[in-house]
Amino acid sequence: MLDRFIQPGLARTFILLLLVTVSASMIISLLFIYLERDRLDLGALAERDNQRIATIITTMEGMDDTARNAIITGVTTHLFQLALSEAPVVAQPPLSRNSERLVKQLTTFLPNHEILADQASPDGLEKRSRRMRLFSIKLNSDGVWVNVASRIKRSQAADDETLIGLMALSLLGVLFVGLYFIAQLVRPLSTIAAATRSAGSGNRAIRLPEEGPAELKNIAVAFNEMQDRISKFDADRNRTLAAVGHDLRTPITSLRIRAEMMDEDEGKDFIRILDEMTVMAESLITYSKGTFDNKVSKDVDLVSIVKELCAERNVSFESPDSIKIMGQQYALRRAFGNLLENAARYANKASVCVFKEKEAVEIHITDDGPGIPEDKLETIFEPFVRVDESRDQDTGGYGLGLSIAKTIITAHGGTIELRNQTPNGLQVVVRLPYAT
């Protein structure tokens, strides 16, 4: 059950461990201090009580009964009782270990007197608590026994409350400092988790600040190095695709010249195939330029970019006045241009709405087309994937438009999602972070 309680988060785990550990430590310390202080206080009170008894016994030596009774009347309280008798009221030896200890303590102050001690309540003397001490002390002058019932009472209620209050304040102070440092530890972990999630979705621009404790700094350095390596790999891949696209142009052009020299009936199929290969080569070059370099990013007005693209394609547009994001205008125009062209290709009507959310701006591109099969909503963003594989470049293209758009959006730290509408239509939801 404890495991289920501490699983939801590292901060909760640390807080629980801190609370349990500090509370247990405080309770044990408080108990130890209380018991030790109680022992020391009782020892001091017992010594003072022994001194009082010794003073009374010494004073009674040689007095008559009248004087002794006067002393008894003067000193007797509900905590301190005296009585004279011909025989001791405390049982004779063998004494218990506790009785021997009481005798030894009092003998220090009355070394030449016969002393009996016990904590059992005898007849004639009232015992009101476990701290009641009973003594029978023989006077050397005439052999009369003075029976003493003394109860030690410590009045420390105020001190106990003060001690508990100080311990509680100490506990709160330790917890406050602990919570502060836990927050300092967990906050960077949350940042690392968010950055990792963003990098996993394809954002190569995000970097972690290389600061803080050595362990977190090493994680940030490793993350940034990973991002640099992946970015370099993406750049090399894009350069390869661009080179392939460029290199294909020459043989395609050469073959097209030869095909045009053939009879029209024989050459038209070759020319059609070569035209498709030309479009494919151009698509490779376009796809290779789909990413952008975050080092040259700047504040751009997203509303202005999307509004201009909608005006060019006669698409209805609703938006706030201006929204700034960090990015590259050319790349964003290509991404949203591809999304709008995709909507225009398969639908009769499309609309665009821009919303200012708490952490990001959302762009909704909605059309009334046939939508996309549910099993292809994720794979449709992969290069060269098309909804209808039978379509040629005149209708469906080569499946690079959405892939290029997603590459650009994720490179800007955003996300893109496709949602089928009811009863028909498709909605593209793009989220992009604000400029910071």
Side-chain angles (χ1 to χ4, degrees):
M1 188 168 183
L2 182 61
D3 292 339
R4 285 187 301 181
F5 178 76
I6 65 177
Q7 278 178 356
L10 188 60
R12 184 180 296 183
T13 302
F14 283 150
I15 292 172
L16 180 63
L17 292 176
L18 178 66
L19 182 61
V20 171
T21 303
V22 174
S23 299
S25 176
M26 289 291 183
I27 292 173
I28 293 173
S29 298
L30 182 62
L31 182 61
F32 177 79
I33 291 173
Y34 182 81
L35 293 176
E36 185 65 13
R37 189 191 64 176
D38 188 64
R39 184 184 67 82
L40 294 175
D41 286 351
L42 289 177
L45 292 172
E47 183 175 358
R48 187 178 66 180
D49 199 55
N50 290 338
Q51 290 178 341
R52 181 184 184 189
I53 293 172
T55 301
I56 293 173
I57 296 301
T58 303
T59 304
M60 284 184 174
E61 291 283 1
M63 288 185 172
D64 57 22
D65 290 343
T66 302
R68 290 172 179 171
N69 289 329
I71 292 176
I72 291 174
T73 302
V75 299
T76 297
T77 66
H78 68 288
L79 298 177
F80 191 83
Q81 303 173 44
L82 284 85
L84 300 176
S85 64
E86 295 297 327
V89 298
V90 177
Q92 296 294 322
L95 300 176
S96 66
R97 179 179 300 177
N98 191 54
S99 298
E100 291 178 352
R101 178 179 58 82
L102 294 176
V103 170
K104 183 177 181 181
Q105 291 175 353
L106 189 56
T107 301
T108 305
F109 300 94
L110 295 170
N112 299 318
H113 289 74
E114 184 179 351
I115 302 173
L116 301 176
D118 200 357
Q119 284 189 323
S121 180
D123 295 337
L125 291 173
E126 182 182 3
K127 178 182 177 183
R128 302 187 180 183
S129 76
R130 64 180 179 84
R131 290 180 180 146
M132 180 71 76
R133 305 187 312 153
L134 306 176
F135 297 98
S136 289
I137 307 166
K138 187 175 183 180
L139 297 177
N140 293 330
S141 59
D142 54 9
V144 175
W145 289 88
V146 180
N147 303 295
V148 181
S150 173
R151 187 178 67 172
I152 297 175
K153 182 178 180 181
R154 180 173 59 87
S155 179
Q156 294 287 346
D159 290 345
D160 289 344
E161 293 176 359
T162 302
L163 179 61
I164 293 174
L166 290 175
M167 296 293 281
L169 289 177
S170 177
L171 174 62
L172 292 177
V174 172
L175 289 177
F176 178 79
V177 175
L179 291 177
Y180 172 78
F181 284 105
I182 288 173
Q184 296 300 312
L185 174 63
V186 173
R187 188 179 297 113
L189 295 179
S190 301
T191 303
I192 292 172
T196 304
R197 190 177 299 110
S198 181
S201 64
N203 184 4
R204 300 294 164 235
I206 191 167
R207 295 292 186 275
L208 289 174
E210 298 178 2
E211 58 187 17
E215 293 79 3
L216 295 178
K217 184 176 180 180
N218 291 336
I219 293 175
V221 170
F223 177 86
N224 294 339
E225 290 177 350
M226 177 192 70
Q227 285 287 79
D228 290 338
R229 287 194 296 270
I230 296 176
S231 297
K232 185 177 182 300
F233 171 79
D234 288 341
D236 292 341
R237 181 197 61 182
N238 292 334
R239 280 195 294 269
T240 301
L241 291 175
V244 170
H246 283 291
D247 291 344
L248 283 175
R249 286 175 173 177
T250 300
I252 290 174
T253 302
S254 177
L255 290 173
R256 183 182 178 87
I257 293 174
R258 292 177 179 272
E260 289 177 348
M261 296 175 62
M262 299 171 62
D263 292 338
E264 183 177 354
D265 292 338
E266 295 179 356
K268 64 179 181 180
D269 290 336
F270 288 102
I271 292 174
R272 180 180 58 80
I273 294 173
L274 290 172
D275 286 342
E276 292 180 4
M277 293 179 65
T278 300
V279 174
M280 186 179 297
E282 294 297 333
S283 297
L284 285 173
I285 295 173
T286 302
Y287 179 73
S288 69
K289 298 177 180 178
T291 57
F292 79 105
D293 185 1
N294 63 292
K295 296 180 180 179
V296 295
S297 297
K298 60 182 181 181
D299 286 353
V300 295
D301 186 354
L302 180 64
V303 171
S304 176
I305 294 173
V306 180
K307 183 177 181 180
E308 184 178 345
L309 291 171
C310 289
E312 293 174 356
R313 293 163 176 79
N314 196 26
V315 174
S316 64
F317 178 76
E318 295 182 13
S319 172
D321 294 336
S322 176
I323 299 177
K324 296 288 187 179
I325 69 168
M326 181 66 70
Q328 290 185 16
Q329 183 170 341
Y330 176 75
L332 290 170
R333 282 185 60 87
R334 177 181 296 169
F336 286 103
N338 287 354
L339 295 175
L340 290 172
E341 288 174 4
N342 189 75
R345 181 179 293 123
Y346 302 115
N348 297 320
K349 182 180 179 182
S351 63
V352 176
C353 294
V354 180
F355 303 94
K356 295 182 70 174
E357 301 296 334
K358 183 178 180 181
E359 298 180 353
V361 55
E362 282 195 6
I363 303 93
H364 294 187
I365 303 174
T366 308
D367 64 55
D368 60 355
I372 296 176
E374 293 292 333
D375 60 342
K376 287 195 173 184
L377 284 177
E378 293 297 329
T379 59
I380 196 66
F381 289 111
E382 297 178 5
F384 304 108
V385 173
R386 293 176 292 178
V387 175
D388 187 353
E389 296 295 341
S390 65
R391 291 174 176 169
D392 60 20
Q393 71 274 16
D394 294 329
T395 57
Y398 283 94
L400 288 174
L402 289 178
S403 181
I404 292 171
K406 182 178 182 180
T407 301
I408 295 173
I409 295 301
T410 54
H412 281 77
T415 61
I416 183 170
E417 179 185 1
L418 301 182
R419 303 172 182 171
N420 282 318
Q421 302 296 290
T422 303
N424 62 284
L426 181 72
Q427 185 179 71
V428 182
V429 179
V430 178
R431 288 175 57 86
L432 288 167
Y434 298 113
T436 55

